[in-house]
Amino acid sequence: RGREFLMKDLYSFHESEEDLMKYYELMKKVYKKTFSKLGLSAIETVASGGTFSDFSHEYQVVCESGEDEIIYCPGGDFSENTEISKIKEGKECDLGHGPLKKVKTIEVGNIFLLKDKFSKALGLMFKDKNGKEKYVIMGCYGIGISRVMGAIVEVHNDEKGIVWPSSVSPYTAHLITINNQQSTINKGDEVYQELQKAGVDDVLYDDREEVSAGQKFADADLIGIPVRLVISDKVPQGKVEWKERNKDKPEVISVREAIKKLG
């Protein structure tokens, strides 16, 4: 947890609980899809609604360093926060997916059925088609943006550092020049400009002259940009060494091919 917490909040306003529930079910799908795009396998989990509602749905990511704990079925038909769950670990899943598991998790989002709790408190009303005044029915949907970034790093890493999913990486590629020869520096500058002109403009360019190749590679692995591009005296003009962060072996390809793959 941090002293500051950045949150994406959404509130929906409805004329009836039926309309709220339609939207609520839609948002469940939206949240699952959103977390999937972020590279997170989020488990939709029933949890306490606190002071806001009778219950809530949390989106939990399995992680040993997480502060939450859930009981869930790996097959996807059950998940509850242990704060409210009365079911024990090891019970067979209802749909025959094996025993329930208890795991540590990080909560990355939650949604609530606020209904008329705050509209009554604030006097928020509307007139229906018959002219009758009614309280607005509300829903609340939140994603902890700063928490999500931390969860991504906790899940996507190895002994060398971060392995950013391409969808959330701060850069598309990490361009590195090896050795201090002027010819290599010139080739690096040319490739960088070529990438920029082709629209691959979010490139982290490491042209430090006082740093060894080993240190540059270690820094690249630590930062975890999805693709590393290396320029050296061993790489022919017009080509780069292409190395994906989550793979072991590099390959030498043309700059044009690299641009196509990055696009």
Side-chain angles (χ1 to χ4, degrees):
R1 293 184 182 274
R3 293 181 181 274
E4 296 180 351
F5 185 78
L6 187 61
M7 192 81 178
K8 184 287 302 173
D9 269 342
L10 167 68
Y11 294 89
S12 63
F13 303 87
H14 309 266
E15 62 179 358
S16 66
E17 288 194 17
E18 180 183 8
D19 189 53
L20 166 62
M21 290 310 300
K22 287 181 181 178
Y23 192 79
Y24 193 81
E25 291 302 318
L26 172 63
M27 288 307 298
K28 283 184 179 180
K29 296 177 182 177
V30 168
Y31 267 41
K32 289 284 284 184
K33 187 174 182 179
T34 297
F35 291 122
S36 178
K37 284 186 174 182
L38 293 173
L40 294 173
S41 180
I43 301 168
E44 189 178 280
T45 303
V46 177
S48 167
T51 60
F52 298 114
S53 62
D54 295 333
F55 66 92
S56 68
H57 286 95
E58 298 173 339
Y59 292 85
Q60 300 278 6
V61 175
V62 176
C63 180
E64 275 301 313
S65 61
E67 295 180 330
D68 270 320
E69 192 175 64
I70 66 171
I71 295 280
Y72 83 111
C73 171
D77 63 301
F78 174 85
S79 183
E80 283 186 349
N81 194 301
T82 56
E83 291 180 351
I84 67 163
S85 185
K86 297 179 180 179
I87 298 176
K88 300 297 183 182
E89 180 182 18
K91 177 185 179 295
E92 286 295 314
C93 299
D94 291 342
L95 298 184
H97 295 138
L100 298 176
K101 293 184 178 180
K102 181 166 68 174
V103 291
K104 289 286 188 180
T105 56
I106 299 174
E107 180 191 345
V108 291
N110 53 34
I111 59 178
F112 298 87
L113 294 167
L114 297 176
K115 298 186 179 180
D116 61 5
K117 178 179 177 63
F118 290 105
S119 55
K120 280 185 175 179
L122 297 171
L124 180 60
M125 305 186 76
F126 73 101
K127 287 185 178 180
D128 67 12
K129 60 185 179 182
N130 298 316
K132 184 178 179 181
E133 284 197 334
K134 294 182 178 178
Y135 285 107
V136 174
I137 306 300
M138 297 173 59
C140 176
Y141 321 83
I143 292 177
I145 298 172
S146 50
R147 182 76 66 81
V148 163
M149 297 305 289
I152 291 171
V153 172
E154 289 284 357
V155 171
H156 295 280
N157 68 79
D158 59 19
E159 69 281 359
K160 296 178 181 179
I162 305 170
V163 185
W164 287 111
S166 58
S167 60
V168 293
S169 174
Y171 296 93
T172 299
H174 195 154
L175 178 64
I176 296 174
T177 55
I178 301 302
N179 74 40
N180 296 330
Q181 295 181 15
Q182 190 59 49
S183 59
T184 302
I185 295 171
N186 291 341
K187 283 197 294 184
D189 290 345
E190 289 173 10
V191 171
Y192 181 73
Q193 292 300 325
E194 198 169 342
L195 290 168
Q196 296 286 297
K197 289 178 182 178
V200 187
D201 51 7
D202 50 348
V203 177
L204 181 60
Y205 185 16
D206 186 353
D207 58 352
R208 293 175 292 173
E209 297 181 8
E210 73 284 359
V211 179
S212 69
Q215 184 62 56
K216 287 187 176 183
F217 289 156
D219 289 346
D221 285 338
L222 180 66
I223 295 169
I225 307 305
V227 175
R228 186 183 76 194
L229 304 175
V230 177
I231 306 295
S232 71
D233 54 355
K234 297 180 180 180
V235 177
Q237 185 74 29
K239 294 183 179 293
V240 295
E241 182 186 275
W242 171 285
K243 163 79 167 56
E244 294 179 29
R245 178 63 179 84
N246 60 355
K247 294 183 179 178
D248 294 328
K249 294 184 178 180
E251 60 178 323
V252 176
I253 63 175
S254 68
V255 175
R256 181 175 297 180
E257 187 179 351
I259 289 172
K260 185 177 180 180
K261 292 174 76 170
L262 290 170

